[in-house]
Amino acid sequence: MSRLGNLGARLYRGEVGYDFIGKRKFWYGVSILITITAIVGLAVRGLNMGIEFEGGAVLTTPKTSASVQHTTELVEKTSGEKAIVQQLGNGGMRIQIAGLDTDRSTEVKEKVAGDLKVDPNDIDTQLVGPSWGEQIASKAWLGLGIFMVLVVIYLAIAFEWRMALAALIALIHDLTITVGIYSLVGFEVTPGTVIGLLTILGYSLYDTVVVFDGLREGSRGVTKQTRFTYSEIANRSINSTLVRSINTTVVALLPVAGLLFIGGGLLGGGMLNDIALSLFVGLAAGAYSSIFIATPLVADFKEREPQMKALAKRVRAKRLKAEERDDQDGYGPQDDPQGQGAGPGGAVVADPDDPDGGDTSGAGVVGPRGQREPGAGRGQRRQASSRGRGHGRPSGKRR
């Protein structure tokens, strides 16, 4: 088995693990800091909306020897509007001019053709009206709202309302970070960007549901035992799916990274950046939020319930009693930091020597005749084996 596979198996069995729930305040702080940065960038710089949302013209020229910078200066001087120029693979130019109407587009087209020394009839012109862009924007917001509502309803029915609320907060967290990075980087927002956002929200939800499913299975009958608190079971659920989450995220990020950095960067396919950036940032943020945000939030919500508070109190009392008994017997506390006695995925497993529902404090076990035998529990000393006792010594028996 590979080293990563061995680690995944040990995480699944609970032999090793990272305390995600215990350090949740630190990760909450990191998320808040990133979110504030994204919101400030969005408020200061705003979004670079494409012509599909603002309206304008797109001119596609044949092969030309002019540079992108020269073409940009020429178009902006001629139209009086901001222009985005991208060089195509065949040597032509794709010129986007926002706020350009039909009459002025013809004038700009002829001027650009003369300066670039190409035939005006060879320049393809596409016009987008502002009303059409407003319709696209409104439908995008409507689709996003419907998606969020359906997510909350599904999770509330399949799991519970606390998990639905935590998943909704995680999705808003991912969306805010992705949009904020778009604002800071200055990439153009197009319908492809909207498609990318909806895609990464679906991926983030999928990753969150996987962890929630393990948590639901592991927390069944949680109040009927005194081994673990709800937060400890939630932490085991995260660890048991950690390697799986990392593997799926890396596999998904590799082709998107190739699309963004190689296709959009090295090869100059700038039109790929609008969807590639949203996918790359969103996939990473979705994996982060499902581990560090969604499940810790569920644990916070559940730990406020009276029955979970009572469970945590019973668990602490039992552990304190066990430590005192171990000290009296002359042994150090037999700690169980990784949850010995819990099944894969954090599931609570009944102790065969504990008819009281998970009490492993060492108060005693059931003897062969059904009596409770004291001292046979956790703090019991192991008797040394008598095998070989007196080996090589006279037995004292006369021959």
Side-chain angles (χ1 to χ4, degrees):
M1 181 181 295
S2 65
R3 185 172 300 179
L4 184 60
N6 184 42
L7 176 61
R10 296 181 65 192
L11 285 168
Y12 185 76
R13 294 191 299 266
E15 297 175 2
V16 295
Y18 177 79
D19 191 6
F20 293 98
I21 305 299
K23 296 178 174 60
R24 62 187 180 277
K25 292 184 178 179
F26 170 78
W27 296 110
Y28 288 168
V30 172
S31 297
I32 292 174
L33 180 62
I34 296 175
T35 303
I36 291 176
T37 303
I39 294 175
V40 170
L42 185 61
V44 173
R45 300 193 57 174
L47 290 174
N48 180 21
M49 305 300 293
I51 64 171
E52 292 87 355
F53 297 102
E54 293 187 345
V58 179
L59 307 179
T60 305
T61 70
K63 183 177 181 180
T64 177
S65 59
S67 64
V68 173
Q69 182 178 0
H70 172 73
T71 306
T72 303
E73 295 174 354
L74 171 65
V75 173
E76 291 181 349
K77 182 179 179 181
T78 303
S79 63
E81 304 287 348
K82 183 179 179 181
I84 299 177
V85 179
Q86 299 170 336
Q87 189 170 19
L88 303 178
N90 60 357
M93 297 289 180
R94 185 176 186 269
I95 306 169
Q96 301 182 62
I97 310 172
L100 197 65
D101 55 21
T102 305
D103 297 334
R104 294 183 59 201
S105 64
T106 303
E107 178 184 352
V108 172
K109 174 182 176 180
E110 293 177 353
K111 180 64 176 177
V112 169
D115 291 337
L116 297 181
K117 298 179 181 181
V118 296
D119 188 353
N121 297 325
D122 293 336
I123 298 180
D124 180 57
T125 305
Q126 296 179 355
L127 298 176
V128 180
S131 60
W132 188 83
E134 292 177 358
Q135 293 178 4
I136 292 295
S138 63
K139 290 181 179 180
W141 283 111
L142 179 62
L144 182 61
I146 293 175
F147 175 82
M148 292 291 190
V149 172
L150 292 178
V151 164
V152 172
I153 294 176
Y154 166 75
L155 291 180
I157 295 175
F159 297 95
E160 58 175 304
W161 69 266
R162 297 169 188 82
M163 292 185 178
L165 179 59
L168 180 62
I169 294 174
L171 290 177
I172 295 175
H173 166 272
D174 300 339
L175 183 63
T176 303
I177 291 178
T178 306
V179 174
I181 290 180
Y182 257 86
S183 174
L184 295 174
V185 174
F187 278 14
E188 186 181 15
V189 178
T190 66
T193 305
V194 178
I195 295 173
L197 289 175
L198 293 176
T199 302
I200 59 102
L201 290 180
Y203 179 87
S204 175
L205 178 64
Y206 166 76
D207 212 18
T208 302
V209 167
V210 170
V211 181
F212 282 178
D213 186 65
L215 177 58
R216 179 180 59 180
E217 294 296 327
S219 60
R220 287 182 178 177
V222 62
T223 58
K224 299 179 181 179
Q225 52 82 49
T226 54
R227 289 177 183 268
F228 314 106
T229 64
Y230 187 90
S231 294
E232 292 170 344
I233 295 176
N235 193 68
R236 288 179 56 86
S237 298
I238 299 176
N239 280 281
S240 64
T241 59
L242 181 60
V243 172
R244 178 189 180 280
S245 298
I246 294 175
N247 287 337
T248 54
T249 301
V250 171
V251 170
L253 282 177
L254 287 177
V256 177
L259 188 67
L260 177 63
F261 297 109
I262 298 178
L266 296 179
L267 301 181
M271 292 178 291
L272 302 174
N273 290 335
D274 54 355
I275 188 172
L277 181 64
S278 63
L279 288 175
F280 186 82
V281 176
L283 288 175
Y288 168 84
S289 65
S290 64
I291 297 174
F292 296 99
I293 302 299
T295 308
L297 281 175
V298 174
D300 279 336
F301 295 154
K302 293 289 289 186
E303 289 290 0
R304 296 180 182 181
E305 296 180 357
Q307 58 267 34
M308 295 304 169
K309 291 181 179 180
L311 172 63
K313 187 179 296 184
R314 294 197 306 269
V315 171
R316 288 193 296 267
K318 188 198 74 170
R319 291 176 180 175
L320 181 61
K321 184 178 179 181
E323 292 177 1
E324 292 176 352
R325 182 178 297 105
D326 290 335
D327 292 340
Q328 293 174 359
D329 291 342
Y331 285 83
Q334 303 293 324
D335 295 330
D336 190 14
Q338 299 301 333
Q340 292 288 345
V348 178
V349 179
D351 186 357
D353 293 334
D354 185 10
D356 293 333
D359 183 7
T360 58
S361 60
V365 298
V366 179
R369 296 183 179 179
Q371 301 93 341
R372 195 77 171 177
E373 295 183 359
R378 191 175 182 176
Q380 181 184 9
R381 289 183 174 90
R382 291 186 176 182
Q383 299 295 332
S385 174
S386 61
R387 179 181 296 179
R389 181 178 297 174
H391 180 70
R393 299 178 182 177
S395 62
K397 181 178 179 180
R398 293 186 179 180
R399 298 181 181 273

